[in-house]
Each structure stands twice: as structure tokens, then as C-alpha cells.
Amino acid sequence: MEDMRALSYGLGRQYFEEKDYRGAIRALRPVVEETPDDVGTRLLLARAYYHSALLKPAEEHLHEVLTREPTEYYAHLMMARTLERQSRHDEAVKHRRIAAALTGNDELLQPHRV
């Protein structure tokens, strides 16, 4: 079963790199279901949802990542961007501040322009 997980993860990563985010979601979702504590795979899945404009599932997976790894700066940054795309700017500020504090990069305080 581990071989199938590795294969699905590799396929999901390939789809993501090719910007086939929906394909990445299809490949990564079963991996996350089997290994819910795998923060890296869950973060990649959240990014695929974000890039597919599926913002609610992106937010849910980012919340799970941050529950498991509260110091994962990139998850905070992605959460801020996800909230901003939903016009929830007040909520996004908190995550931008945390990302900036974790990295020492004050540029992360500026909203992302799409």
C-alpha cells in the first residue's frame, strides 16, 4: 500500500508542477485520507485547491496543517492568501503577521496581488 501512496504522491506532485491542479487534487486526496498527519502532502493538496479556486477546501486543509504545525510559515501565508481571495482581509492579517514573524520578512505583511 505504501508503494501506491508514493506513486499517487509522485503523480500529484507532477500534476501540480504541470499546473494541472485538478489532477493534483485527484491524486493527492487519497494520500491525505490515508496519512492525515502528513503535513507536507496536505499542504500540497491545499495549494492545489487554492490554485483551482476551491477556497473552502483549501482553507480546511490549511487549518489542519496549522493545527499540526503551527510554525509552518508557508501555511500561514497560504491561509492569508486564501482568506484574502474570499475578501476576509481582517482574518488574513493575523496569518500574514505570523508568517512575517516566523521568517523575519516584513514583506509578507503586504497583501498578495493577483
Side-chain angles (χ1 to χ4, degrees):
M1 200 55 138
E2 194 169 314
D3 290 340
M4 287 303 293
R5 250 191 337 262
L7 182 64
S8 290
Y9 175 80
L11 192 58
R13 184 124 196 112
Q14 180 179 344
Y15 283 139
F16 188 89
E17 289 170 5
E18 293 171 354
K19 298 184 183 341
D20 178 358
Y21 302 116
R22 299 281 176 137
I25 291 167
R26 283 190 302 275
L28 294 171
R29 195 173 28 217
V31 177
V32 168
E33 288 171 2
E34 265 188 63
T35 55
D37 293 332
D38 182 348
V39 171
T41 303
R42 189 180 289 274
L43 182 56
L44 184 60
L45 177 59
R47 291 174 63 200
Y49 277 122
Y50 172 85
H51 287 296
S52 296
L54 297 168
L55 302 177
K56 285 296 183 188
E59 182 181 348
E60 291 168 9
H61 285 283
L62 288 166
H63 177 74
E64 286 298 320
V65 168
L66 292 171
T67 297
R68 290 172 169 77
E69 292 288 333
T71 59
E72 175 57 62
Y73 96 90
Y74 195 71
H76 282 287
L77 182 59
M78 288 303 304
M79 181 66 88
R81 290 177 177 175
T82 300
L83 294 168
E84 288 164 355
R85 284 182 73 181
Q86 297 176 73
S87 298
R88 294 164 57 193
H89 302 285
D90 291 343
E91 294 173 70
V93 168
K94 167 187 150 185
H95 293 284
R96 284 200 169 278
R97 286 183 180 151
I98 294 170
L102 289 170
T103 62
N105 183 353
D106 287 343
E107 290 180 21
L108 297 179
L109 294 170
Q110 300 305 312
H112 183 67
R113 302 287 180 222
V114 180

